[in-house]
Structures are given as C-alpha cells and as structure tokens.
C-alpha cells in the first residue's frame, strides 16, 4: 500500500505537530507486527516533519543475543555507531535507567558518544514492549545547541507509547 507522507504544516505549534504525526504513525502501523516496520515509519515521519532540527533520528534496539547492548535499528541521518553498551553515552544511560535523557549540550554529558561530531544536543526516549521491558531507545540528535525542550520530550514519549500499542 502506498502512503502519502506528511511534512511540516505552516502555522502549526510543535505540540500540534506531535499529535498529528502520532496519529499518522498510528494509522500507518496499525496491525503491523514488525518492529522494524514500526520503527522505520516513526523515524521517517519524525525526521521529515521536523526537518533540519532533527539531524539524526532513529532507534537503537536491545540485542536479543546481548541483552546489555544496543544495536542500531532503523534511522534517518548520517552514519550512526553500530553498537552501544548499556550505561555508555546518552543512549546507554536511557537504556540503563529506563528514563528519557534530555541533553541540552552533549559536550557537558560525561561519556557522550560522538557518532557525528556535528551533534550538539540530543534526546533519548525508552521504547517498551508489551511486557514493559525495554525494547529499544529512540534517539534524536540535533546540530543545534539546546534544540529540545519539555514539549519535545512529551511528544516523543507519546510517540514511543504509540509504537507499543498501535
Ligand atoms: N549520541 C549518542 C550516540 C548515537 S548517535 O549519535 C547516532 C549517544 O551518546 O548515545
């Protein structure tokens, strides 16, 4: 089935954009059981709607063979690192703690992993499976300092919940 993808809408607030994109993701992935397909859809729609502010948008998934390690999943952006152990960098901190990490300046974050040196700020949100276990993290990086705020956190957390239930 071919889908017509939305892009940014003029005059829309950021909170409205997240609601619209969330509905669109939910409609597209409804009934789709492949996590790859669900994550790829979210990465694509987020990256294209939030344009240059979202410099790298994608998922690191928990490796079933190595449950303390993340491996890169569907993403949009420049070349990402392949593997991140739990506890390392911003993604590893989100995986270990199960909590969203909002980093306004990556240089001030101890152990930040610079897959691309242009990354200046980032937000990483845990993605849970139906049993409440960590399935992946959603990582969004920006080349701008302080690019993410509480609205991004709420919007991205809502989208990660949609990925679980839609
Ligand atoms: N910045 C991340 C690493 C992944 S990428 O930049 C794509 C981190 O410190 O977790």
């Amino acid at each position: 089935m071919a889908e017509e993808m939305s892009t940014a809408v003029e005059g829309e607030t950021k909170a409205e954009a997240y609601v619209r994109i969330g509905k669109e993701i939910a409609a597209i992935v409804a009934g789709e059981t492949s996590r790859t397909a669900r994550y790829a859809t979210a990465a694509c729609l987020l990256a294209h709607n939030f344009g240059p502010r979202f410099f790298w948008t994608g998922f690191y998934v928990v490796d079933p063979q190595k449950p303390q390690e993340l491996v890169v999943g569907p993403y949009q952006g420049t070349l990402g690192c392949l593997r991140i152990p739990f506890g390392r960098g911003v993604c590893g901190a989100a995986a270990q703690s199960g909590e969203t990490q909002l980093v306004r300046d990556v240089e001030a974050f101890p152990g930040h992993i610079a897959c691309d040196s242009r990354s200046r700020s980032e937000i990483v949100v845990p993605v849970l499976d139906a049993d409440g276990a960590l399935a992946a993290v959603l990582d969004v990086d920006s080349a701008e300092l302080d690019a993410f705020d509480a609205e991004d956190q709420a919007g991205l957390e809502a989208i990660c919940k949609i990925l679980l239930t839609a």
Side-chain angles (χ1 to χ4, degrees):
M1 175 178 60
E3 301 285 353
E4 200 56 57
M5 180 182 76
S6 77
T7 49
V9 172
E10 274 223 16
E12 187 182 48
T13 67
K14 198 160 65 171
E16 287 166 349
Y18 277 113
V19 171
R20 173 179 55 75
I21 296 162
K23 283 185 186 156
E24 191 172 352
I25 293 170
I28 294 169
V29 305
E32 175 54 67
T33 54
S34 159
R35 285 188 186 171
T36 303
R38 295 159 78 86
Y39 296 167
T41 300
C44 173
L45 285 171
L46 286 168
H48 285 274
N49 274 279
F50 288 114
R53 188 166 69 94
F54 281 31
F55 174 75
W56 197 95
T57 309
F59 293 82
Y60 280 90
V61 302
V62 179
D63 185 343
Q65 257 89 57
K66 295 183 181 173
Q68 289 297 302
E69 201 164 289
L70 299 166
V71 61
V72 78
Y75 69 89
Q76 304 254 329
T78 56
L79 185 64
C81 312
L82 296 190
R83 289 181 176 272
I84 300 176
F86 277 34
R88 274 208 59 210
V90 186
C91 292
Q96 194 155 63
S97 65
E99 283 171 13
T100 297
Q101 306 290 308
L102 200 169
V103 179
R104 296 178 189 278
D105 177 0
V106 294
E107 279 165 27
F109 189 95
H112 167 252
I113 304 163
C115 296
D116 189 309
S117 59
R118 285 168 288 182
S119 176
R120 284 281 165 273
S121 59
E122 67 178 275
I123 181 165
V124 182
V125 180
V127 182
L128 303 180
D129 67 17
D131 301 322
L134 185 79
V137 297
L138 167 60
D139 176 12
V140 185
D141 297 352
S142 182
E144 298 162 27
L145 201 62
D146 204 8
F148 306 104
D149 61 16
E151 256 181 9
D152 292 295
Q153 178 166 350
L156 293 170
E157 286 176 349
I159 283 171
C160 289
K161 287 208 183 83
I162 288 165
L163 286 173
L164 165 70
T165 56

